[in-house]
Amino acid sequence: MKKRIVSVMLCAAMGVSLFTGACVVEAKADGKDKIVVWMKKDLTDVANNMFKERCEQFAEENDVDVEVEVIAYEDFYTKWAAAIESGNLPDLSYFGYQEMGQYYSQGILEDMTDVYNEINDVTPFEESLAPAVTSEDGVVYGIPGWASVQVLYYRTDMFEEAGLSAPETWDDFRDAAIKLTDEKNGIYGAGIGYGASNSDAEWLTRAMLWSNGSVDVDDDGKVAIDSEATVNTAQYIQNLFIKDKVTPPTAVNWDDSGNNKAYLSGQCAMIFNVGSLLNTIKTDDPDLYENTGIAVMPSGSAGSMVPGILDGYGIFKNANNKDGAKELVKYLLDKDWYTEWVNETAPFKIPVLQGMKDDEVWQDERNKPFIDSVANFTFLGYPNTYTPAASEVFNSRLLSNCFTNIVTGSDPAEEIAKLQTDMQAVYDKEK
């Protein structure tokens, strides 16, 4: 007999509403319990289809209905906001860790400590990821699903023709970008972009800042972004755009697709992106794939700092079917299926479970830099512990908006001083 995950509760008879925090389970006409899942749309159809099939398998084995809605990342905030306002919440939702922290701080995410511990006891998570989903008082508010990381993509054919090797430092990167720029023929060395909604810029700018000695918050918990190291790095970035002119003219207004398109079209010799782009290149442009090299993030005076991007699952406190959603999360982290799913999409989805990084797929010369980067993962709020305030700074795009002004000609020192004030205002709200 198939196991029923959650029975329908007689909340109406008890006079309990959704907004009291009780679990109100939506039952379909066929009498089965329903689990509504919001999942981030992957750029590869195979990942989307495997996820849906896994949920269908769970539904069949447990005699429940699972409804999966695949959503583009840029549409999630609108969806979450509307769901929170109306109370029509998904049971299980995708979140980036930066969103998990912010929503948890608002008191609307479920405590997932028991689920995390149950999974961790069977198939341990990578220990370095725990701080990104754990509150200061030790509550786990999200379950890691997969990691990703920006790496350097570079055109090996252009590098060979120019007699260059992959840049190991940011000075190397600038030198290569200058040598590879051929403005008359519409080729630019550095595919770095900014813009109001550019999350790629948020991650990359932090990598450049942190690797050159800049910190978000000092040991006393005060915002410390306004420093000589930050201003110097800001000047370096401005020079790439204005003095060196190694970026496309449109890069000051790019969204997240800007650097992808620039590399795929041959406009840029170097960009920074996650592994989904490599999958696209391999499938759609085999010649470009053969001429693409992958390297870890360049180093600065403080070494190589890699902002860790961690995605996973969370449950709203007022979701209808929290118990069913928790069981589904555990099912999605079953190591046998999870290994197949992650390895199928490598190098985009970096595994969060221990013992997987030695799998053969990660030894490929183009895949290895992605998983090797995890050793240098840093999280928002560096070098202090990640907090929801760091999430709000990220989600508000304070950094990319600041640097959009800088790369269009504003004084770096003045912009960084303003960024200090804006960030401190966010951190002050947390006190």
Side-chain angles (χ1 to χ4, degrees):
M1 186 170 131
K2 294 179 180 177
K3 178 183 175 185
R4 291 290 299 276
I5 295 299
V6 183
S7 61
V8 179
M9 298 181 67
L10 301 176
C11 293
M14 296 168 61
V16 180
S17 75
L18 174 64
F19 298 98
T20 64
C23 178
V24 182
V25 178
E26 177 183 353
K28 294 183 69 177
D30 59 10
K32 292 182 181 180
D33 296 337
K34 181 178 178 182
I35 302 171
V36 177
V37 180
W38 286 1
M39 181 57 171
K40 178 183 175 183
K41 184 177 183 180
D42 203 314
L43 292 179
T44 58
D45 288 338
V46 64
N48 298 324
N49 292 335
M50 287 179 70
F51 183 86
K52 290 177 182 176
E53 289 168 3
R54 183 64 173 173
C55 290
E56 289 170 2
Q57 186 179 2
F58 176 86
E60 182 178 350
E61 291 180 10
N62 295 281
D63 196 25
V64 295
D65 286 314
V66 179
E67 178 184 298
V68 178
E69 184 175 353
V70 177
I71 302 166
Y73 176 70
E74 57 268 22
D75 295 334
F76 259 101
Y77 266 106
T78 302
K79 295 276 289 184
W80 284 323
I84 292 167
E85 178 69 22
S86 68
N88 189 23
L89 297 159
D91 299 301
L92 181 66
S93 180
Y94 154 86
F95 292 97
Y97 85 92
Q98 65 274 15
E99 289 108 24
M100 292 180 194
Q102 187 168 344
Y103 282 134
Y104 179 77
S105 71
Q106 295 172 15
I108 58 176
L109 282 192
E110 180 78 357
D111 182 342
M112 299 288 280
T113 307
D114 57 341
V115 179
Y116 182 94
N117 290 339
E118 190 171 337
I119 296 169
N120 196 56
D121 287 344
V122 178
T123 51
F125 289 104
E126 291 286 353
E127 293 180 2
S128 62
L129 304 177
V133 295
T134 308
S135 69
E136 290 182 296
D137 55 358
V139 174
V140 177
Y141 46 75
I143 303 300
W146 65 95
S148 53
V149 64
Q150 289 184 335
V151 296
L152 173 68
Y153 286 70
Y154 66 98
R155 286 285 298 268
T156 54
D157 52 342
M158 293 183 182
F159 270 69
E160 288 170 8
E161 186 176 343
L164 297 169
S165 343
E168 296 182 0
T169 68
W170 289 112
D171 287 341
D172 294 341
F173 176 81
R174 183 186 179 196
D175 291 343
I178 292 171
K179 290 176 181 176
L180 293 168
T181 296
D182 181 359
E183 196 170 357
K184 289 183 179 179
N185 289 308
I187 297 173
Y188 297 87
I192 295 175
Y194 285 91
S197 62
N198 198 319
S199 63
D200 284 352
E202 286 281 334
W203 298 117
L204 178 59
T205 306
R206 283 173 168 79
M208 299 171 83
L209 289 170
W210 295 344
S211 66
N212 283 300
S214 176
V215 298
D216 291 1
V217 181
D218 64 21
D219 292 339
D220 296 325
K222 283 198 65 175
V223 174
I225 195 72
D226 189 2
S227 67
E228 183 178 358
T230 303
V231 174
N232 288 343
T233 304
Q235 186 64 64
Y236 168 93
I237 295 172
Q238 186 184 72
N239 287 343
L240 293 175
F241 281 77
I242 296 176
K243 180 181 177 181
D244 304 329
K245 297 183 178 179
V246 297
T247 61
T250 58
V252 296
N253 293 310
W254 276 355
D255 59 17
D256 283 341
S257 68
N259 60 67
N260 301 50
K261 294 174 181 176
Y263 190 80
L264 290 168
S265 67
Q267 185 183 33
C268 289
M270 293 185 289
I271 67 163
F272 295 89
N273 213 304
V274 296
S276 55
L277 177 59
L278 189 61
N279 288 334
T280 298
I281 296 170
K282 187 175 183 179
T283 301
D284 297 346
D285 195 339
D287 290 339
L288 180 58
Y289 183 77
E290 290 304 315
N291 288 315
T292 292
I294 302 293
V296 297
M297 198 73 73
S299 296
S301 59
S304 178
M305 300 291 181
V306 182
I309 304 171
L310 182 63
D311 294 316
Y313 309 101
I315 298 172
F316 286 105
K317 274 188 177 179
N318 291 330
N320 286 345
N321 195 348
K322 293 187 289 187
D323 290 342
K326 289 179 180 180
E327 293 299 324
L328 179 55
V329 168
K330 289 183 277 188
Y331 195 78
L332 292 168
L333 269 295
D334 173 79
K335 193 170 185 179
D336 289 340
W337 177 82
Y338 179 80
T339 299
E340 182 182 353
W341 184 55
V342 168
N343 288 354
E344 182 68 32
T345 61
F348 175 46
K349 286 180 167 56
I350 299 173
V352 297
L353 301 178
Q354 293 182 27
M356 293 179 61
K357 61 186 176 182
D358 294 328
D359 288 0
E360 183 178 354
V361 68
W362 294 106
Q363 308 316 307
D364 178 277
E365 64 177 353
R366 291 184 181 85
N367 291 348
K368 200 169 188 304
F370 288 90
I371 204 157
D372 285 349
S373 296
V374 176
N376 293 319
F377 262 16
T378 46
F379 291 109
L380 299 173
Y382 171 82
N384 276 11
T385 302
Y386 161 70
T387 66
S391 279
E392 186 173 343
V393 168
F394 180 97
N395 296 332
S396 301
R397 299 292 185 264
L398 295 182
L399 193 70
S400 60
N401 289 340
C402 167
F403 275 81
T404 297
N405 293 336
I406 289 170
V407 300
T408 51
S410 295
D411 180 77
E414 292 180 3
E415 288 294 331
I416 297 303
K418 182 178 182 301
L419 178 62
Q420 167 81 24
T421 300
D422 292 343
M423 287 178 60
Q424 189 62 58
V426 173
Y427 274 80
D428 286 345
K429 289 193 299 183
E430 195 174 73
K431 295 178 180 177

